Amino acid sequence: MKHTHTILLSTIAYLLAWQQASHFACAQTHTETTLCGTVINTATSKPLSAVRITLVGTETGAMTKTDGTFCITLPVQQALVRLRVQRFGLAVQTLEVSLEQQRIKPLVIRLAERTFEMENVTVIAREESRHSEGSTVSRIDRAAIEHVQASNLADVLQLVPGQLAQNPTFQNEQQSLLRQNPTNADANRANALGTAVVLDGTPLSNNANMQSNVTILNAGPSSLPPFASVAGRGMDLREIPAANIASVEVVRGIPSARHGDLTAGAILVETLAGAMKPQLLLRANPNLLEGDISAGFGNGVNESGFNAGVNIVRAQDDPRITTDNFYRLTANTAWTQPWVVSAQGTPTLATTLRLAYTTTLDEDLDDPDDRLFLRERFSREWRLRTNLNGFWKFNILNTSANTASMLRWTFSATTGEQNSFFQDMITRSDVFPITAATPRIGADTTTRGIFAPVEYLNKTTVNGRPLNLYGRVEASHLLTFETNSTSAPFALKPMLGVEYRLDANFGAGRQFDVLTPPRQNYSVGERPRSYDDIPPLTQLSGYAEILATGSIALDNANRPFSLVAGVRYDNISPTSLTAGRFGTTLVPRINASFEPIQGLELRAGYGITAKAPVLAHLYPNPQFLDVVNYSLFADSAAERLVVMTSRAISTAPASLRAFTTEKAEIGINARVEGFRATLVAYNEETRGAVGISRLVHAMPFARLRAMSFPRNAPPILAPEPMRLDTFLGQYDTPIASRRIATRGVEWTLDAPEITAIRTTLNLSGAWTFSTATDTALAVDYGALTRFANAPPRIGVFLNDEQRESERLVTSLRVINRFPEIGLVLSWLVQTIWVERDRFLALSEIPRGFVDKTGRMTLISQIQAESDNFKDIRRPFDQRLLLTEDRPPLWLLNVRLSKTLPAGLQLAFYVNNLLADRPLYFQRRNERFTERNIELFFGLELQYTIPLEAN
């Protein structure tokens, strides 16, 4: 906290000095661009008063007067602006306005009682070039979320270019995958972990999630636990209900310096707040039942605004399996209070307080028909989040111009509890020795063990109590300079911010009865472990950014440009302002755009993003090696004896730092005679991402022998060992050695409406190339199980999970709008033109070996190919070298939204209308598999209490 206070005081001192300098810089006339218009009621054609109009992504706005008119002073020069228009009793509308057209034709905004009765309703994602958040931003407004009938945030993301349409599901954890093809587990998880989910200005954190399990070598090192968990991954998007979302912005390019602890991008979610009619929503499909009720009072602009809602979901992906269920309950409230209101009717000092409670249950209950294994799993979680954000707009120059400075703040606290459970009937063909000894890390303990029964029931629980704290204070100021009588003013908007994060876990951890442990193999065991001794992860950050806008005189015309340049500094678990326990990062970001001719914008960007390591990677569960020194299982229990030596291995990585992504992109935005097009080419490379690797540990131990065998007593062992031996044990550890390279092209094309048939066309797509590699070598741990006795040396190879993938996908949306009857009908034709992938590093030739002492030795290619190392070559199926190259695949979906009398609204959809699921013969395993999603349909009914809107 001392460091935070120091930065805050420095920021205040900077602002005071800034004020003195600004008096001289802005001595000339302050010129602004003003947007004016009128808002009327569609049904009555009468002007509407008390309508709130705001610039999307800012607090700048206005309220309409009694005659329905308004004027907004734009903070910077813009050719296009997006407005959000809302009034109690009427549907919220978001529209794009061209300032050039408004100089010719006055702006008239028509509001309707319900969304699909508006003429300009948008039911697709819109590509934006946002100054405030970054480059390449897809914005999805409330109308599009309603039309897609999303149940959670994951359903909303399918509107983003390059994303595939999916059937709604709650069966498994839902993760994002931005600008990257599926390659391998580590790469996919790194992308999801590096995608920030920002809810109402506050980043949601999964850094303290420790709901993990030790695989004990029954599965691969990257295997997921038997219960639902996103530990070490991104947020589970199932937990965020779509019914409470007002808008979503997906930042895939270079983000603003404001956004940290991310690599792939950011998903900015804004929830509903303020006035709205009470409404009830019911949604059903073969796998899901959902209900939502919400209401809001007061506009939150010149009076208090209050909003509350409750959402409940029950999902069952297969109705025939009644033991596999998912439940979600969310309740949220938002109170917005404008403390100071300007003469224009907009707040200059306002705060919003939000409270949100979420509880989920993902269960796979004991099947009554399964009396053999008695398997049962569940994950139960609750979370309470408090969020306070606000802003103060003021004028540090004390001039008569509109307020040009702003102080923004966000503070959040999230607490909760996670409980995971699984049970299995452990059955073995023979007795199995176990020990309860718990040595210290790096020490050996030799004790008498016991023989476990051939069958017992194991019950394991994992309890986590994460705590996430977040705070940010940000100051900005707008400086405007006159250039000449014909050019637009040149504007500078500097921004400074400080940020603090804390992630901790005080849970009881992973617990079980040491005498009935989870299944153990190959002398690798485990012990209960508490989380309350794990130190918290803290991050102290500062950032600075400047936005410059203006125009350049070119061919007797003013050509607008913009430049956003910033830098961000992150100190992870700081020990001082310049050093952290897990390192520091200093990353630059820059975005620039220029319009050389009217309607054609060129833009480019470069930046680096960084994601801090999470607690699950910094403090993984330790591993235990339990080797048998002596064992005798006599017929008489009194004569039995087993002696075991145990060693605890720390699986924590020696040094773990933030992994980074270097981003570069160029793009074109074009507007010609009603057509809009965007084209973006990008290249991204992630370095130092964390993956789970399996290593070998050499453990010397003594083989003991018995000197005598007394009756009704255990054997008496000789004081000297029979011989010394070495056991090669296996353990899993996080290693920051993964690299992910992605390059590609994204595009969108919007055609003007064909008025004769009230139809618009939208074409989007992406051509993506992704490669996932590993700079670390992998031990052939399978050799320890392929042979009856451990070999004298084990081969070391390149990671065999390295892959590359290519995919070309287009999505054509045909949208029919009939606002007179409140009907929107949309068709999606999605085509996967190219889908191919292959392994990169499969080889039987080793790069080195590990001997019985655990020492690794690297060898040359010539040595590896010689007969001297033939014994450590790794056989594999040569079919794995083949490339899977799938033929084109088509998908047809249809969605319908219709307003009905008495406040009702009906929505219906069918996915894969043609039920086209062609078979593809997989070359690598010579099996057929079905492609495409299943035929699926859903129905939604929404009721809004009809209230008069004059």
Side-chain angles (χ1 to χ4, degrees):
M1 295 302 295
K2 178 181 177 182
H3 302 321
T4 305
H5 294 158
T6 302
I7 295 180
L8 286 175
L9 291 173
S10 301
T11 302
I12 295 172
Y14 179 84
L15 288 173
L16 293 175
W18 191 2
Q19 176 181 5
Q20 301 300 322
S22 298
H23 277 292
F24 175 77
C26 296
Q28 303 183 50
T29 303
H30 190 153
T31 303
E32 295 123 352
T33 303
T34 302
L35 172 66
C36 297
T38 305
V39 182
I40 65 173
N41 190 317
T42 300
T44 64
S45 297
K46 294 181 179 180
L48 290 169
S49 62
V51 178
R52 180 185 181 186
I53 301 99
T54 55
L55 290 177
V56 171
T58 73
E59 287 79 19
T60 303
M63 293 283 287
T64 58
K65 303 175 183 178
T66 55
D67 60 353
T69 61
F70 69 92
C71 284
I72 300 177
T73 300
L74 304 181
V76 294
Q77 183 193 22
Q78 296 170 273
L80 292 171
V81 296
R82 289 185 66 82
L83 301 178
R84 174 172 295 170
V85 187
Q86 57 190 106
R87 184 186 191 276
F88 179 71
L90 298 174
V92 178
Q93 182 176 176
T94 303
L95 70 157
E96 189 175 82
V97 177
S98 169
L99 298 184
E100 187 67 27
Q101 293 179 0
Q102 297 316 307
R103 295 188 181 99
I104 303 172
K105 180 181 179 181
L107 174 62
V108 178
I109 302 173
R110 300 176 182 271
L111 286 186
E113 183 177 341
R114 289 179 283 184
T115 301
F116 300 110
E117 294 174 349
M118 295 186 296
E119 293 183 359
N120 299 319
V121 62
T122 301
V123 295
I124 58 174
R126 288 291 191 188
E127 296 303 296
E128 296 187 353
S129 180
R130 287 280 307 275
H131 299 313
S132 59
E133 304 297 353
S135 63
T136 314
V137 179
S138 295
R139 181 179 177 86
I140 305 167
D141 288 313
R142 180 67 187 168
I145 296 172
E146 288 186 5
H147 186 63
V148 81
Q149 299 170 55
S151 292
N152 57 56
L153 183 56
D155 296 337
V156 178
L157 297 183
Q158 62 184 297
L159 296 174
V160 176
Q163 298 289 316
L164 299 183
Q166 300 291 339
N167 286 331
T169 179
F170 283 85
Q171 183 178 22
N172 299 311
E173 305 90 326
Q174 297 295 301
Q175 301 274 277
S176 60
L177 192 64
L178 300 181
R179 276 189 175 176
Q180 183 177 309
N181 294 332
T183 48
N184 61 35
D186 289 335
N188 298 345
R189 292 171 192 174
N191 185 281
L193 180 63
T195 300
V197 179
V198 183
L199 192 62
D200 298 315
T202 300
L204 301 183
S205 177
N206 197 45
N207 291 344
N209 192 330
M210 297 284 291
Q211 300 301 106
S212 59
N213 183 56
V214 180
T215 61
I216 309 302
L217 314 179
N218 293 307
S222 295
S223 299
L224 296 175
F227 45 80
S229 173
V230 289
R233 299 192 285 164
M235 293 295 301
D236 188 352
L237 304 183
R238 297 180 302 176
E239 299 180 1
I240 304 174
N244 190 43
I245 295 177
S247 67
V248 175
E249 292 178 326
V250 183
V251 183
R252 305 187 304 285
I254 294 89
S256 163
R258 173 188 297 122
H259 299 298
D261 205 32
L262 60 90
T263 52
I267 303 173
L268 313 181
V269 181
E270 182 181 350
T271 60
L272 297 172
M276 62 178 293
K277 290 182 178 181
Q279 70 175 27
L280 172 66
L281 179 144
L282 298 174
R283 177 180 291 125
N285 63 47
N287 300 341
L288 173 141
L289 289 174
E290 180 179 4
D292 183 272
I293 185 170
S294 56
F297 309 94
N299 57 37
V301 180
N302 56 6
E303 63 180 2
S304 297
F306 180 79
N307 180 280
V310 176
N311 180 276
I312 186 169
V313 164
R314 180 186 183 276
Q316 190 176 352
D317 264 28
D318 191 336
R320 299 168 299 178
I321 305 177
T322 59
T323 58
D324 191 355
N325 304 291
F326 178 86
Y327 303 90
R328 182 191 69 200
L329 172 67
T330 60
N332 56 79
T333 63
W335 171 48
T336 300
Q337 179 61 51
W339 302 101
V340 179
V341 180
S342 68
Q344 291 78 22
T346 58
T348 57
L349 175 61
T351 58
T352 299
L353 176 65
R354 288 181 170 89
L355 298 175
Y357 173 80
T358 302
T359 181
T360 60
L361 172 61
D362 191 327
E363 63 180 10
D364 186 0
L365 300 176
D366 181 17
D367 188 345
D369 298 327
D370 178 18
R371 296 292 89 192
L372 179 60
F373 298 106
L374 299 178
R375 292 192 180 99
E376 184 173 344
R377 289 103 169 85
F378 70 75
S379 286
R380 181 183 293 112
E381 178 179 359
W382 68 265
R383 183 171 61 251
L384 179 64
R385 181 173 61 89
T386 305
N387 181 48
L388 174 66
N389 54 39
F391 64 90
W392 175 31
K393 295 192 290 185
F394 57 97
N395 190 350
I396 67 174
L397 300 179
N398 297 317
T399 67
S400 59
N402 281 353
T403 54
S405 303
M406 180 177 291
L407 187 67
R408 306 171 74 172
W409 58 88
T410 299
F411 301 100
S412 176
T414 304
T415 185
E417 186 171 12
Q418 301 165 324
N419 285 292
S420 302
F421 170 84
F422 69 92
Q423 75 172 27
D424 276 307
M425 181 62 73
I426 308 298
T427 304
R428 298 182 179 277
S429 59
D430 200 354
V431 293
F432 189 77
I434 60 175
T435 176
T438 308
R440 293 178 288 103
I441 298 294
D444 291 352
T445 299
T446 301
T447 60
R448 181 174 178 174
I450 66 170
F451 290 101
V454 295
E455 183 178 87
Y456 62 85
L457 183 66
N458 164 254
K459 296 183 178 182
T460 300
T461 62
V462 183
N463 173 263
R465 292 174 54 205
L467 172 67
N468 311 110
L469 301 179
Y470 177 81
R472 183 180 73 229
V473 178
E474 177 184 290
S476 62
H477 180 65
L478 180 63
L479 301 171
T480 306
F481 306 86
E482 284 296 314
T483 53
N484 55 54
S485 59
T486 58
S487 297
F490 176 71
L492 287 176
K493 186 180 179 181
M495 178 178 69
L496 290 174
V498 292
E499 186 180 82
Y500 178 77
R501 304 172 190 240
L502 181 144
D503 300 288
N505 195 315
F506 304 101
R510 192 166 183 269
Q511 302 295 326
F512 55 87
D513 186 343
V514 293
L515 299 182
T516 56
R519 186 180 299 276
Q520 302 179 7
N521 287 334
Y522 316 123
S523 297
V524 179
E526 56 179 315
R527 306 292 188 273
R529 188 256 183 118
S530 175
Y531 296 154
D532 58 6
D533 60 344
I534 295 177
L537 175 68
T538 58
Q539 298 181 63
L540 180 63
S541 307
Y543 58 90
E545 187 172 85
I546 187 166
L547 164 65
T549 62
S551 61
I552 300 174
L554 186 66
D555 295 332
N556 297 321
N558 293 325
R559 301 305 180 194
F561 71 89
S562 70
L563 175 69
V564 185
V567 63
R568 182 181 178 91
Y569 172 75
D570 295 303
N571 190 334
I572 306 172
S573 291
T575 56
S576 68
L577 282 177
T578 58
R581 183 179 177 187
F582 303 110
T584 62
T585 60
L586 183 66
V587 293
R589 298 171 193 173
I590 184 170
N591 287 296
S593 67
F594 176 59
E595 192 171 331
I597 60 176
Q598 185 174 352
L600 178 65
E601 180 187 38
L602 307 179
R603 59 188 180 90
Y606 172 83
I608 299 175
T609 53
K611 174 71 182 77
V614 299
L615 292 183
H617 292 156
L618 293 172
Y619 306 101
N621 293 322
Q623 201 102 24
F624 291 82
L625 300 182
D626 299 317
V627 297
V628 176
N629 306 95
Y630 178 84
S631 176
L632 175 65
F633 188 79
D635 293 336
S636 172
E639 297 176 357
R640 298 170 186 171
L641 177 64
V642 57
V643 178
M644 305 179 69
T645 297
S646 300
R647 173 178 292 184
I649 303 173
S650 173
T651 60
S655 62
L656 206 57
R657 298 291 186 266
F659 67 95
T660 61
T661 297
E662 186 176 12
K663 292 170 170 276
E665 66 176 31
I666 57 174
I668 300 175
N669 299 338
R671 304 182 305 277
V672 180
E673 296 183 353
F675 287 88
R676 290 168 47 95
T678 65
L679 178 66
V680 180
Y682 63 88
N683 185 78
E684 300 182 357
E685 185 168 357
T686 301
R687 301 180 180 90
V690 176
I692 307 301
S693 296
R694 185 158 292 172
L695 304 180
V696 173
H697 179 86
M699 176 183 172
F701 70 102
R703 295 285 188 182
L704 305 179
R705 64 182 180 87
M707 294 189 304
S708 61
F709 299 88
R711 289 179 58 85
N712 297 321
I716 298 175
L717 302 180
E720 298 297 328
M722 181 174 59
R723 69 175 187 275
L724 296 178
D725 210 340
T726 300
F727 170 70
L728 292 180
Q730 308 170 51
Y731 68 98
D732 296 339
T733 183
I735 296 181
S737 60
R738 274 52 170 182
R739 299 184 68 173
I740 306 145
T742 300
R743 68 186 190 280
V745 179
E746 298 172 335
W747 63 87
T748 63
L749 174 63
D750 293 302
E753 183 182 55
I754 306 173
T755 55
I757 56 176
R758 308 297 295 270
T759 300
T760 58
L761 302 178
N762 168 264
L763 176 66
S764 64
W767 197 342
T768 311
F769 302 81
S770 297
T771 304
T773 58
D774 188 358
T775 59
L777 296 176
V779 177
D780 181 21
Y781 57 84
L784 296 176
T785 59
R786 285 199 301 268
F787 305 101
N789 297 313
R793 56 186 181 180
I794 302 171
V796 175
F797 299 81
L798 294 175
N799 188 332
D800 57 10
E801 286 297 321
Q802 302 183 71
R803 294 190 187 192
E804 69 175 12
S805 172
E806 176 188 0
R807 184 166 69 192
L808 169 60
V809 58
T810 60
S811 297
L812 174 63
R813 289 179 169 87
V814 182
I815 305 164
N816 304 99
R817 300 182 183 88
F818 303 95
E820 299 86 356
I821 59 174
L823 174 66
V824 175
L825 176 67
S826 67
W827 302 81
L828 168 65
V829 181
Q830 187 174 85
T831 307
I832 302 177
W833 301 97
V834 176
E835 188 176 26
R836 62 174 66 100
D837 64 84
R838 68 185 182 97
F839 288 98
L840 294 177
L842 288 175
S843 174
E844 64 177 9
I845 304 301
R847 296 299 180 95
F849 62 89
V850 174
D851 58 24
K852 292 284 284 187
T853 66
R855 184 180 59 187
M856 179 182 294
T857 303
L858 299 181
I859 58 178
S860 67
Q861 182 74 15
I862 296 177
Q863 289 176 304
E865 293 176 352
S866 68
D867 291 340
N868 293 333
F869 296 93
K870 186 177 182 180
D871 59 307
I872 59 173
R873 293 178 184 172
R874 179 180 57 183
F876 68 93
D877 191 339
Q878 295 295 315
R879 293 177 300 178
L880 295 177
L881 297 174
L882 299 174
T883 298
E884 297 286 2
D885 192 353
R886 302 163 184 85
L889 181 67
W890 288 270
L891 175 68
L892 177 63
N893 295 348
V894 60
R895 299 182 185 276
L896 181 146
S897 300
K898 176 70 174 71
T899 58
L900 301 174
L904 292 173
Q905 181 172 296
L906 177 70
F908 179 75
Y909 70 91
V910 180
N911 290 345
N912 197 359
L913 182 63
L914 303 180
D916 180 29
R917 303 200 70 200
L919 292 176
Y920 169 71
F921 182 74
Q922 299 179 102
R923 303 176 64 196
R924 289 198 285 260
N925 59 18
E926 297 185 352
R927 294 178 182 177
F928 284 97
T929 182
E930 275 188 312
R931 302 179 70 198
N932 237 342
I933 60 177
E934 295 180 349
L935 171 67
F936 199 82
F937 61 91
L939 179 70
E940 176 184 300
L941 185 64
Q942 180 176 303
Y943 174 67
T944 303
I945 297 178
L947 298 176
E948 189 67 23
N950 296 321

